[in-house]
Amino acid sequence: MKIAIIGTSESAKEAPFKDDTWQIWTMGRNWPWIPRYDEWFELHTIEQLQKVKTQQVFYDFMLSCGNKLNLLKPIPQYPEAKI
């Protein structure tokens, strides 16, 4: 299996999104422009997200990830997420 770990720098746009032989693992605030992903990692706790006043649209996005969402700690709003 080939895994591309995508960060948030400008070069992330060069990732092999159109090549299905690659798994796309990503995180951060690049969700509006990522065309596809296989795993999404949220590295902040809900308390940290609330401190920076994360917008509701990002919480909604995380909910749409279903079982592709990976969290450090459980968050009740995301029951399908992996821990």
Coordinates of all heavy atoms in Angstrom, one line a residue:
M1 N 0.8 -1.2 0.0 CA 0.0 0.0 0.0 C 0.9 1.2 0.0 O 1.9 1.3 0.7 CB -0.9 0.0 1.2 CG -1.7 1.3 1.4 SD -2.7 1.5 2.9 CE -2.9 0.0 3.6
K2 N 0.5 2.2 -0.8 CA 1.2 3.5 -0.8 C 0.4 4.5 -0.1 O -0.8 4.6 -0.4 CB 1.5 3.9 -2.3 CG 2.4 3.0 -3.1 CD 2.7 3.5 -4.4 CE 1.5 3.4 -5.4 NZ 1.8 3.8 -6.8
I3 N 1.0 5.3 0.8 CA 0.3 6.3 1.6 C 0.9 7.6 1.4 O 2.1 7.8 1.5 CB 0.3 5.9 3.1 CG1 -0.4 4.6 3.3 CG2 -0.4 7.0 3.9 CD1 -0.2 4.1 4.7
A4 N 0.1 8.6 1.0 CA 0.6 10.0 0.9 C 0.0 10.7 2.1 O -1.2 10.8 2.3 CB 0.1 10.6 -0.4
I5 N 0.9 11.2 2.9 CA 0.5 12.0 4.1 C 0.6 13.4 3.7 O 1.6 14.0 3.4 CB 1.4 11.6 5.3 CG1 1.3 10.1 5.6 CG2 1.0 12.5 6.5 CD1 2.3 9.7 6.7
I6 N -0.6 14.0 3.7 CA -0.8 15.4 3.2 C -0.9 16.4 4.3 O -1.8 16.3 5.2 CB -2.0 15.5 2.3 CG1 -2.1 14.4 1.3 CG2 -2.1 16.9 1.6 CD1 -0.9 14.3 0.3
G7 N 0.0 17.4 4.3 CA 0.0 18.4 5.3 C -0.8 19.6 4.8 O -1.7 19.5 3.9
T8 N -0.4 20.8 5.3 CA -1.2 22.0 5.0 C -0.4 23.0 4.2 O -0.8 24.1 3.9 CB -1.7 22.7 6.2 OG1 -0.6 23.0 7.1 CG2 -2.7 21.8 7.0
S9 N 0.8 22.6 3.7 CA 1.6 23.6 3.0 C 1.1 23.6 1.5 O 0.4 22.8 1.1 CB 3.1 23.2 3.0 OG 3.3 22.0 2.2
E10 N 1.6 24.6 0.8 CA 1.2 24.8 -0.6 C 1.6 23.6 -1.5 O 0.8 23.3 -2.4 CB 2.0 26.1 -1.1 CG 1.5 26.5 -2.5 CD 0.0 27.0 -2.5 OE1 -0.5 27.4 -1.5 OE2 -0.6 26.9 -3.6
S11 N 2.7 22.9 -1.1 CA 3.1 21.7 -1.9 C 2.1 20.6 -1.8 O 2.1 19.6 -2.6 CB 4.5 21.3 -1.5 OG 4.5 20.8 -0.2
A12 N 1.2 20.6 -0.8 CA 0.2 19.5 -0.6 C -0.7 19.4 -1.9 O -1.2 18.3 -2.2 CB -0.7 19.8 0.6
K13 N -0.8 20.4 -2.6 CA -1.7 20.4 -3.8 C -1.1 19.5 -4.9 O -1.7 19.1 -5.9 CB -1.9 21.8 -4.4 CG -2.8 22.6 -3.4 CD -3.0 24.0 -3.8 CE -3.9 24.7 -2.8 NZ -4.1 26.1 -3.1
E14 N 0.2 19.1 -4.8 CA 0.9 18.2 -5.7 C 0.7 16.8 -5.4 O 1.3 15.9 -6.1 CB 2.3 18.6 -5.8 CG 2.6 20.0 -6.2 CD 4.0 20.4 -6.1 OE1 4.9 19.6 -6.1 OE2 4.3 21.7 -5.9
A15 N 0.0 16.4 -4.4 CA -0.2 15.0 -3.9 C -1.0 14.2 -5.0 O -1.6 14.8 -5.9 CB -1.0 15.0 -2.7
P16 N -0.8 12.9 -5.0 CA -1.4 12.1 -6.0 C -2.9 11.8 -5.9 O -3.3 10.6 -5.8 CB -0.6 10.8 -5.9 CG -0.2 10.7 -4.5 CD 0.0 12.2 -4.1
F17 N -3.7 12.8 -5.8 CA -5.1 12.7 -5.6 C -5.8 11.9 -6.6 O -6.8 11.2 -6.4 CB -5.8 14.0 -5.4 CG -5.3 14.8 -4.3 CD1 -4.6 16.0 -4.4 CD2 -5.6 14.4 -3.0 CE1 -4.2 16.7 -3.3 CE2 -5.2 15.1 -1.9 CZ -4.5 16.3 -2.1
K18 N -5.4 11.9 -7.9 CA -6.0 11.2 -9.0 C -5.6 9.8 -9.2 O -6.1 9.1 -10.0 CB -5.8 12.0 -10.3 CG -6.5 13.3 -10.3 CD -6.3 14.1 -11.6 CE -7.0 15.4 -11.5 NZ -6.8 16.2 -12.7
D19 N -4.6 9.4 -8.4 CA -4.0 8.0 -8.5 C -4.6 7.2 -7.4 O -4.2 7.3 -6.2 CB -2.5 8.1 -8.4 CG -1.8 6.8 -8.7 OD1 -2.5 5.7 -8.6 OD2 -0.6 6.8 -8.9
D20 N -5.5 6.3 -7.7 CA -6.2 5.5 -6.7 C -5.3 4.4 -6.1 O -5.7 3.7 -5.2 CB -7.4 4.8 -7.3 CG -8.5 5.8 -7.6 OD1 -8.5 6.9 -7.0 OD2 -9.4 5.5 -8.5
T21 N -4.1 4.3 -6.6 CA -3.1 3.3 -6.0 C -2.5 3.9 -4.7 O -1.8 3.2 -4.0 CB -2.0 2.9 -6.9 OG1 -1.2 4.0 -7.2 CG2 -2.6 2.3 -8.2
W22 N -2.8 5.2 -4.5 CA -2.3 5.9 -3.3 C -3.5 6.1 -2.3 O -4.5 6.5 -2.7 CB -1.8 7.2 -3.6 CG -0.4 7.2 -4.2 CD1 -0.1 7.1 -5.6 CD2 0.8 7.4 -3.6 NE1 1.2 7.1 -5.8 CE2 1.9 7.3 -4.5 CE3 1.2 7.6 -2.2 CZ2 3.2 7.4 -4.2 CZ3 2.6 7.7 -1.9 CH2 3.5 7.6 -2.9
Q23 N -3.2 5.8 -1.0 CA -4.1 6.2 0.1 C -3.7 7.6 0.4 O -2.6 8.0 0.5 CB -3.9 5.3 1.3 CG -4.4 3.9 1.2 CD -5.7 3.8 1.9 OE1 -5.9 4.4 3.0 NE2 -6.6 3.1 1.3
I24 N -4.7 8.5 0.6 CA -4.5 9.9 1.0 C -4.9 10.0 2.5 O -6.0 9.8 2.9 CB -5.4 10.8 0.1 CG1 -5.1 10.6 -1.3 CG2 -5.2 12.2 0.6 CD1 -3.7 11.0 -1.8
W25 N -3.9 10.3 3.3 CA -4.1 10.6 4.7 C -3.8 12.1 4.9 O -2.8 12.5 4.5 CB -3.2 9.7 5.6 CG -3.5 8.3 5.5 CD1 -4.3 7.6 4.7 CD2 -2.9 7.3 6.4 NE1 -4.3 6.2 4.9 CE2 -3.4 6.0 6.0 CE3 -2.0 7.3 7.4 CZ2 -3.1 4.8 6.6 CZ3 -1.6 6.1 8.1 CH2 -2.2 4.9 7.7
T26 N -4.7 12.8 5.6 CA -4.5 14.2 5.8 C -5.1 14.7 7.1 O -5.7 13.9 7.8 CB -5.1 15.0 4.5 OG1 -4.6 16.3 4.6 CG2 -6.6 14.8 4.4
M27 N -5.0 16.0 7.3 CA -5.5 16.6 8.5 C -5.4 18.1 8.3 O -5.1 18.6 7.2 CB -4.6 16.3 9.7 CG -3.1 16.4 9.5 SD -2.5 18.0 9.4 CE -0.8 17.7 9.2
G28 N -5.9 18.8 9.3 CA -5.8 20.3 9.3 C -6.9 21.0 8.6 O -8.0 20.4 8.4
R29 N -6.7 22.2 8.3 CA -7.7 23.1 7.7 C -7.7 23.1 6.2 O -8.2 24.0 5.6 CB -7.5 24.5 8.2 CG -7.6 24.6 9.7 CD -9.0 24.4 10.2 NE -9.2 24.6 11.6 CZ -9.3 23.6 12.5 NH1 -9.4 22.4 12.1 NH2 -9.5 23.9 13.8
N30 N -7.1 22.1 5.6 CA -7.1 22.1 4.1 C -8.3 21.4 3.5 O -8.4 21.1 2.3 CB -5.8 21.4 3.6 CG -5.5 20.1 4.2 OD1 -6.4 19.5 4.9 ND2 -4.4 19.5 3.9
W31 N -9.3 21.0 4.4 CA -10.4 20.3 3.9 C -11.2 20.9 2.8 O -11.8 20.2 2.0 CB -11.3 19.9 5.1 CG -11.9 21.1 5.8 CD1 -11.3 21.8 6.8 CD2 -13.1 21.8 5.5 NE1 -12.1 22.9 7.2 CE2 -13.2 22.9 6.4 CE3 -14.1 21.6 4.6 CZ2 -14.3 23.8 6.4 CZ3 -15.2 22.5 4.6 CH2 -15.2 23.6 5.5
P32 N -11.3 22.2 2.6 CA -12.1 22.8 1.5 C -11.6 22.4 0.1 O -12.3 22.4 -0.8 CB -12.1 24.3 1.8 CG -11.8 24.5 3.2 CD -10.8 23.3 3.5
W33 N -10.3 22.2 0.0 CA -9.7 22.0 -1.3 C -9.2 20.6 -1.6 O -8.8 20.2 -2.7 CB -8.6 23.0 -1.6 CG -7.5 22.9 -0.7 CD1 -7.2 23.7 0.4 CD2 -6.3 22.1 -0.8 NE1 -6.1 23.3 1.0 CE2 -5.5 22.3 0.3 CE3 -6.0 21.1 -1.7 CZ2 -4.3 21.7 0.5 CZ3 -4.8 20.4 -1.5 CH2 -4.0 20.7 -0.4
I34 N -9.3 19.7 -0.6 CA -8.8 18.3 -0.8 C -9.9 17.6 -1.6 O -11.0 17.4 -1.1 CB -8.6 17.6 0.6 CG1 -7.5 18.2 1.4 CG2 -8.4 16.1 0.5 CD1 -6.1 17.8 0.9
P35 N -9.5 17.1 -2.8 CA -10.5 16.4 -3.6 C -10.9 15.0 -3.1 O -12.0 14.6 -3.4 CB -9.8 16.3 -5.0 CG -8.4 16.4 -4.7 CD -8.2 17.2 -3.5
R36 N -10.0 14.3 -2.4 CA -10.4 13.1 -1.8 C -9.4 12.7 -0.7 O -8.3 13.3 -0.6 CB -10.4 11.9 -2.8 CG -9.0 11.4 -3.2 CD -9.1 10.2 -4.1 NE -7.8 9.7 -4.5 CZ -7.1 8.8 -3.8 NH1 -7.5 8.3 -2.7 NH2 -5.9 8.5 -4.2
Y37 N -9.9 11.9 0.2 CA -9.0 11.4 1.3 C -9.5 10.1 1.8 O -10.7 9.7 1.6 CB -9.1 12.4 2.5 CG -10.4 12.6 3.1 CD1 -10.9 11.8 4.2 CD2 -11.3 13.6 2.6 CE1 -12.1 12.0 4.7 CE2 -12.6 13.7 3.1 CZ -13.0 12.9 4.1 OH -14.3 13.1 4.6
D38 N -8.6 9.3 2.3 CA -9.0 8.0 2.9 C -9.0 7.9 4.4 O -9.7 7.1 5.0 CB -8.0 6.9 2.3 CG -8.1 6.8 0.8 OD1 -9.1 6.3 0.3 OD2 -7.1 7.3 0.1
E39 N -8.2 8.8 5.0 CA -8.2 9.0 6.4 C -8.0 10.4 6.8 O -7.2 11.1 6.1 CB -7.1 8.1 7.1 CG -7.2 6.7 6.9 CD -8.3 6.0 7.7 OE1 -8.7 6.5 8.7 OE2 -8.7 4.9 7.2
W40 N -8.8 10.9 7.7 CA -8.6 12.3 8.2 C -8.3 12.3 9.7 O -8.9 11.6 10.4 CB -9.9 13.1 8.0 CG -9.7 14.6 8.1 CD1 -9.6 15.3 9.3 CD2 -9.4 15.4 7.0 NE1 -9.3 16.6 9.0 CE2 -9.2 16.7 7.6 CE3 -9.4 15.3 5.7 CZ2 -8.9 17.8 6.8 CZ3 -9.1 16.4 4.9 CH2 -8.9 17.7 5.5
F41 N -7.2 13.0 10.0 CA -6.7 13.0 11.4 C -7.0 14.4 12.0 O -6.5 15.4 11.4 CB -5.2 12.7 11.4 CG -4.9 11.3 11.0 CD1 -4.8 11.0 9.6 CD2 -4.9 10.3 11.9 CE1 -4.5 9.7 9.2 CE2 -4.6 9.0 11.5 CZ -4.4 8.7 10.2
E42 N -7.7 14.4 13.1 CA -7.9 15.7 13.9 C -7.0 15.5 15.1 O -7.3 14.7 16.0 CB -9.3 15.9 14.2 CG -9.5 17.2 15.0 CD -8.8 18.4 14.5 OE1 -9.1 18.8 13.3 OE2 -7.9 19.0 15.2
L43 N -6.0 16.4 15.2 CA -5.0 16.2 16.3 C -5.3 17.1 17.5 O -4.5 17.2 18.4 CB -3.6 16.5 15.7 CG -3.2 15.7 14.5 CD1 -1.9 16.1 14.0 CD2 -3.3 14.2 14.8
H44 N -6.4 17.8 17.5 CA -6.8 18.6 18.6 C -8.0 18.0 19.4 O -8.8 17.4 18.8 CB -7.2 20.0 18.1 CG -6.1 20.7 17.4 ND1 -5.9 20.6 16.0 CD2 -5.1 21.5 17.8 CE1 -4.9 21.3 15.7 NE2 -4.3 21.9 16.7
T45 N -8.0 18.3 20.7 CA -9.2 17.9 21.5 C -10.3 18.9 21.2 O -10.1 20.0 20.6 CB -8.8 17.9 23.0 OG1 -8.6 19.3 23.3 CG2 -7.7 17.0 23.3
I46 N -11.5 18.5 21.6 CA -12.7 19.4 21.4 C -12.4 20.7 22.2 O -12.8 21.8 21.7 CB -14.0 18.7 21.8 CG1 -15.2 19.5 21.3 CG2 -14.0 18.4 23.2 CD1 -15.4 19.7 19.9
E47 N -11.8 20.6 23.3 CA -11.5 21.8 24.1 C -10.6 22.8 23.4 O -10.8 24.0 23.4 CB -10.9 21.4 25.5 CG -11.8 20.7 26.4 CD -11.9 19.2 26.1 OE1 -11.1 18.6 25.4 OE2 -12.9 18.5 26.6
Q48 N -9.6 22.2 22.7 CA -8.7 23.1 21.9 C -9.4 23.7 20.7 O -9.2 24.9 20.4 CB -7.5 22.2 21.5 CG -6.5 21.8 22.6 CD -5.5 20.8 22.1 OE1 -5.8 19.9 21.4 NE2 -4.3 21.0 22.6
L49 N -10.2 22.9 20.1 CA -11.0 23.5 18.9 C -11.9 24.6 19.4 O -12.0 25.6 18.7 CB -11.8 22.3 18.3 CG -10.9 21.3 17.5 CD1 -11.8 20.1 17.1 CD2 -10.2 21.9 16.3
Q50 N -12.5 24.4 20.5 CA -13.4 25.5 21.0 C -12.6 26.7 21.4 O -13.1 27.8 21.3 CB -14.2 24.9 22.2 CG -15.2 23.9 21.7 CD -15.9 23.1 22.9 OE1 -15.4 23.1 24.0 NE2 -17.0 22.5 22.6
K51 N -11.4 26.6 21.9 CA -10.6 27.7 22.3 C -10.3 28.6 21.1 O -10.2 29.8 21.3 CB -9.3 27.3 23.0 CG -9.5 26.9 24.5 CD -8.2 26.6 25.1 CE -8.4 26.0 26.5 NZ -7.2 25.6 27.1
V52 N -10.1 28.0 20.0 CA -9.7 28.8 18.8 C -11.0 29.2 18.0 O -10.9 29.6 16.9 CB -8.7 28.1 17.9 CG1 -7.4 28.0 18.6 CG2 -9.2 26.8 17.4
K53 N -12.1 28.9 18.6 CA -13.4 29.3 18.0 C -13.6 28.7 16.6 O -13.9 29.4 15.6 CB -13.6 30.8 18.0 CG -13.6 31.4 19.4 CD -14.0 32.8 19.3 CE -13.8 33.5 20.6 NZ -14.2 33.4 21.7
T54 N -13.3 27.4 16.5 CA -13.5 26.7 15.3 C -14.9 26.9 14.7 O -15.9 26.8 15.4 CB -13.2 25.2 15.5 OG1 -11.9 25.0 16.0 CG2 -13.4 24.4 14.2
Q55 N -15.0 27.2 13.4 CA -16.3 27.4 12.8 C -17.1 26.2 12.7 O -16.6 25.1 12.5 CB -16.0 28.0 11.4 CG -15.4 29.4 11.5 CD -15.2 29.9 10.1 OE1 -15.3 29.3 9.1 NE2 -14.8 31.2 10.0
Q56 N -18.4 26.3 12.8 CA -19.3 25.2 12.7 C -19.1 24.4 11.4 O -19.3 23.2 11.4 CB -20.8 25.7 12.8 CG -21.8 24.6 12.8 CD -21.7 23.7 14.0 OE1 -21.5 24.2 15.1 NE2 -21.8 22.4 13.8
V57 N -18.7 25.1 10.3 CA -18.6 24.4 9.1 C -17.5 23.3 9.2 O -17.6 22.2 8.6 CB -18.3 25.4 7.9 CG1 -17.0 26.1 8.1 CG2 -18.4 24.7 6.6
F58 N -16.5 23.5 10.0 CA -15.5 22.5 10.2 C -16.0 21.3 11.0 O -15.7 20.1 10.7 CB -14.2 23.0 10.8 CG -13.1 22.0 10.9 CD1 -12.5 21.5 9.8 CD2 -12.7 21.5 12.2 CE1 -11.5 20.5 9.9 CE2 -11.7 20.5 12.3 CZ -11.1 20.0 11.1
Y59 N -16.8 21.6 12.1 CA -17.4 20.5 12.8 C -18.3 19.7 11.9 O -18.4 18.5 12.0 CB -18.3 21.1 14.0 CG -17.4 21.8 15.1 CD1 -17.7 23.1 15.4 CD2 -16.5 21.0 15.8 CE1 -16.9 23.7 16.4 CE2 -15.7 21.6 16.8 CZ -16.0 23.0 17.1 OH -15.3 23.5 18.1
D60 N -19.1 20.4 11.1 CA -19.9 19.6 10.1 C -19.1 18.8 9.2 O -19.5 17.6 8.9 CB -20.8 20.6 9.3 CG -21.8 21.4 10.1 OD1 -22.1 21.0 11.3 OD2 -22.3 22.4 9.6
F61 N -18.0 19.3 8.7 CA -17.1 18.5 7.9 C -16.6 17.3 8.6 O -16.7 16.2 8.1 CB -15.9 19.3 7.4 CG -14.8 18.4 6.8 CD1 -14.9 17.9 5.6 CD2 -13.7 18.1 7.6 CE1 -14.0 17.0 5.1 CE2 -12.7 17.3 7.1 CZ -12.9 16.7 5.8
M62 N -16.2 17.4 9.8 CA -15.7 16.3 10.6 C -16.8 15.2 10.7 O -16.6 14.0 10.6 CB -15.2 16.7 12.0 CG -13.9 17.4 11.9 SD -13.0 17.6 13.5 CE -14.2 17.9 14.7
L63 N -18.0 15.7 10.9 CA -19.2 14.7 11.0 C -19.3 14.0 9.7 O -19.6 12.8 9.7 CB -20.4 15.5 11.4 CG -21.6 14.6 11.7 CD1 -21.4 13.7 12.9 CD2 -22.8 15.5 12.0
S64 N -19.1 14.6 8.6 CA -19.2 14.0 7.3 C -18.1 12.9 7.0 O -18.3 12.1 6.1 CB -19.2 15.0 6.2 OG -17.9 15.5 5.9
C65 N -17.1 13.0 7.8 CA -16.0 12.0 7.6 C -16.3 10.6 8.0 O -15.8 9.6 7.6 CB -14.7 12.4 8.4 SG -13.9 13.9 7.8
G66 N -17.3 10.5 8.9 CA -17.8 9.2 9.4 C -16.6 8.4 10.0 O -15.8 8.9 10.8
N67 N -16.4 7.1 9.5 CA -15.4 6.3 10.1 C -14.0 6.6 9.4 O -13.0 5.8 9.7 CB -15.7 4.8 9.9 CG -15.8 4.3 8.5 OD1 -15.6 5.1 7.6 ND2 -16.0 3.1 8.3
K68 N -13.9 7.6 8.6 CA -12.5 8.0 8.1 C -11.9 9.0 9.0 O -10.7 9.4 8.8 CB -12.7 8.6 6.7 CG -13.1 7.6 5.7 CD -13.2 8.3 4.3 CE -13.6 7.4 3.2 NZ -13.6 8.0 1.9
L69 N -12.6 9.5 10.1 CA -12.1 10.4 11.0 C -11.4 9.7 12.1 O -11.8 8.8 12.7 CB -13.3 11.2 11.6 CG -12.9 12.3 12.6 CD1 -12.0 13.4 12.0 CD2 -14.2 12.9 13.2
N70 N -10.2 10.2 12.4 CA -9.3 9.7 13.5 C -9.1 10.8 14.5 O -8.6 11.9 14.2 CB -8.0 9.3 12.9 CG -8.1 8.1 12.0 OD1 -8.0 7.0 12.3 ND2 -8.3 8.4 10.7
L71 N -9.4 10.5 15.8 CA -9.3 11.5 16.9 C -8.3 11.0 17.9 O -8.1 9.8 18.1 CB -10.7 11.6 17.6 CG -11.8 12.1 16.7 CD1 -13.1 12.1 17.4 CD2 -11.5 13.5 16.2
L72 N -7.8 11.9 18.7 CA -6.9 11.6 19.8 C -7.7 11.1 21.0 O -7.3 10.1 21.7 CB -6.1 12.8 20.3 CG -5.0 13.3 19.3 CD1 -4.3 14.5 19.8 CD2 -4.0 12.2 19.1
K73 N -8.8 11.7 21.2 CA -9.7 11.3 22.3 C -11.2 11.3 21.8 O -11.5 12.0 20.8 CB -9.7 12.4 23.4 CG -8.3 12.4 24.1 CD -8.2 13.6 25.0 CE -9.2 13.8 26.1 NZ -9.0 14.9 27.0
P74 N -12.0 10.5 22.4 CA -13.4 10.4 21.9 C -14.1 11.8 22.0 O -13.9 12.5 23.0 CB -14.1 9.4 22.8 CG -13.0 8.6 23.5 CD -11.8 9.6 23.5
I75 N -14.9 12.1 21.0 CA -15.8 13.2 21.1 C -17.2 12.7 20.8 O -17.4 12.1 19.7 CB -15.4 14.3 20.0 CG1 -14.0 14.8 20.3 CG2 -16.4 15.4 20.0 CD1 -13.5 15.7 19.2
P76 N -18.1 12.8 21.7 CA -19.4 12.2 21.6 C -20.2 12.6 20.3 O -20.9 11.7 19.8 CB -20.2 12.7 22.8 CG -19.2 13.1 23.8 CD -18.0 13.5 23.0
Q77 N -19.9 13.8 19.8 CA -20.6 14.2 18.5 C -20.2 13.4 17.3 O -20.8 13.4 16.3 CB -20.4 15.7 18.2 CG -20.9 16.6 19.3 CD -19.9 16.9 20.4 OE1 -19.2 16.1 20.8 NE2 -19.8 18.2 20.8
Y78 N -19.0 12.6 17.4 CA -18.5 11.9 16.3 C -18.3 10.4 16.7 O -17.2 9.9 16.8 CB -17.1 12.5 15.9 CG -17.3 14.0 15.7 CD1 -16.8 14.9 16.6 CD2 -17.8 14.4 14.5 CE1 -17.0 16.2 16.4 CE2 -18.0 15.8 14.3 CZ -17.6 16.7 15.3 OH -17.7 18.0 15.1
P79 N -19.5 9.7 16.8 CA -19.4 8.3 17.3 C -18.7 7.3 16.3 O -18.3 6.3 16.8 CB -20.9 8.0 17.5 CG -21.6 8.9 16.6 CD -20.8 10.1 16.6
E80 N -18.7 7.6 15.1 CA -18.1 6.7 14.1 C -16.6 6.9 14.0 O -15.9 6.1 13.4 CB -18.7 7.0 12.7 CG -20.2 6.6 12.6 CD -20.7 6.9 11.2 OE1 -19.9 6.8 10.2 OE2 -21.9 7.2 11.1
A81 N -16.0 7.9 14.6 CA -14.6 8.2 14.5 C -13.8 7.1 15.2 O -14.2 6.5 16.2 CB -14.3 9.5 15.2
K82 N -12.6 6.9 14.7 CA -11.6 6.0 15.3 C -10.8 6.7 16.3 O -10.5 7.9 16.1 CB -10.7 5.4 14.2 CG -11.4 4.5 13.2 CD -10.5 4.1 12.1 CE -11.0 4.6 10.8 NZ -10.2 4.4 9.7
I83 N -10.4 6.0 17.3 CA -9.6 6.6 18.4 C -8.2 6.0 18.3 O -8.0 4.8 18.2 CB -10.2 6.4 19.8 CG1 -11.6 6.9 19.8 CG2 -9.4 7.1 20.9 CD1 -11.9 8.3 19.4

